Amino acid sequence: MSTTPNVPYRLEFSVEVPGTPEQVWQAIATARGMSAWFGPTEMEEREGGSLHFTMGPDMGSDGEVTRWEPPRRLVYEEDWAALMGKDPDALSPLTSEFLVEAQSGGTCIVRVTSSGFGTGADWESEFWDDLAPNWMPFFDNLRLYLSHFPGQEATHFEAAASHRCDADTLWSALSEALVLGDEGTSVEVRGATGTVERVGERQALVRVIAPVPGMLSVYTFAEADGNALAGVRAYLFSPDAAAYARREEPAWQTWLEALDVPAPSPASTGR
């Protein structure tokens, strides 16, 4: 197999979001904005600036802003090899481009392209197959953020627990325990009241109204060891959010760990 990174990979999609180009730019091209719908972000907001995304307690991604053209075009490169724990020469940088196009009626189209070059290894194809389903739900967060919380700073909390089952079984248990309904349904999720804004494959997005306004994403996904992870990710927008997050994060962690999940059948454990 070739060891030269000359096998191209590419993901392209577009989303329509509310707001002016300047409001959308604030959301997609600043540390404060990215942290409010994606994940905790550090960014030097200029061409050549450094970039860091926090992706969990022990995981992050480093990069550099390579194009900075407010309010229309942002390009950044991430160290794909370091992110995946691979030889630096085995992979090109992972390049992401955001283009903002104003529409009539107070919305913008955001065109997103991610691309890179690898060697054609199986794990590379799996990475790109998983990229869209893992990344695109965040753009529902972006739409909701621009609809209800534009320009506001987010307070985060996140909790997750692994269970010995497949991701679909775990999602059924999680959504049933939280009594999640269809899109548009009013819900109470562990003491927080709000509305189900989006239901996707093994994930749902709730706009929380009280006791602290914000967004709550709940999800499950398969892990490499055959288990599945159930998680919650919160973005809160209130002066009271920090105290609420300090209280709720450990409570969610305990709740997720204690989630009642059907035991795997002998057939499924034998696969």
Side-chain angles (χ1 to χ4, degrees):
M1 178 177 290
S2 169
T3 56
T4 303
N6 58 6
V7 177
Y9 297 98
R10 190 175 182 88
L11 169 67
E12 294 181 272
F13 61 91
S14 61
V15 294
E16 186 171 10
V17 296
T20 64
E22 291 74 19
Q23 287 174 317
V24 176
W25 179 261
Q26 184 279 329
I28 66 168
T30 70
R32 178 188 179 108
M34 289 285 280
S35 298
W37 61 272
F38 182 49
T41 300
E42 300 167 36
M43 180 191 295
E44 293 177 341
E45 295 161 8
R46 58 177 176 81
E47 190 165 313
S50 63
L51 181 68
H52 179 79
F53 298 118
T54 298
M55 298 178 168
D58 303 307
M59 188 176 180
S61 181
D62 293 305
E64 179 184 345
V65 177
T66 56
R67 292 287 185 275
W68 176 268
E69 302 169 16
R72 183 174 179 274
R73 183 177 182 230
L74 170 73
V75 184
Y76 59 83
E77 293 183 349
E78 294 172 83
D79 190 336
W80 185 23
L83 177 64
M84 304 308 296
K86 301 295 181 180
D87 184 330
D89 296 329
L91 304 166
S92 76
L94 178 62
T95 301
S96 295
E97 179 181 53
F98 291 68
L99 290 175
V100 180
E101 301 174 4
Q103 305 292 295
S104 60
T107 67
C108 289
I109 298 291
V110 181
R111 303 192 187 280
V112 183
T113 304
S114 283
S115 58
F117 290 88
T119 61
D122 288 346
W123 74 264
E124 296 170 4
S125 298
E126 291 169 5
F127 175 90
W128 286 90
D129 287 345
D130 291 342
L131 186 59
N134 287 342
W135 200 22
M136 289 183 68
F138 285 103
F139 289 86
D140 291 321
N141 300 357
L142 173 62
R143 191 179 295 109
L144 194 59
Y145 171 64
L146 285 165
S147 297
H148 297 280
F149 311 107
Q152 295 188 43
E153 185 172 5
T155 296
H156 285 259
F157 75 76
E158 188 162 1
S162 184
H163 290 268
R164 187 171 173 75
C165 64
D166 64 81
D168 288 324
T169 299
L170 188 55
W171 174 250
S172 295
L174 180 63
S175 55
E176 184 176 322
L178 293 174
V179 198
L180 294 174
D182 297 329
E183 292 177 12
T185 302
S186 295
V187 290
E188 180 178 341
V189 179
R190 300 198 62 255
T193 57
T195 304
V196 178
E197 294 281 346
R198 180 81 170 90
V199 177
E201 186 177 1
R202 299 192 297 272
Q203 58 94 18
L205 179 63
V206 176
R207 178 166 67 92
V208 178
I209 299 167
V212 175
M215 309 185 297
L216 200 66
S217 174
V218 294
Y219 57 88
T220 68
F221 65 81
E223 296 183 292
D225 60 5
N227 293 341
L229 195 75
V232 60
R233 187 181 293 115
Y235 309 81
L236 307 171
F237 304 95
S238 163
D240 304 324
Y244 179 80
R246 281 194 300 270
R247 183 174 69 249
E248 284 300 304
E249 187 174 63
W252 267 99
Q253 184 66 43
T254 300
W255 186 88
L256 287 167
E257 289 172 359
L259 185 65
D260 186 16
V261 180
S265 66
S268 65
T269 55
R271 280 202 299 269

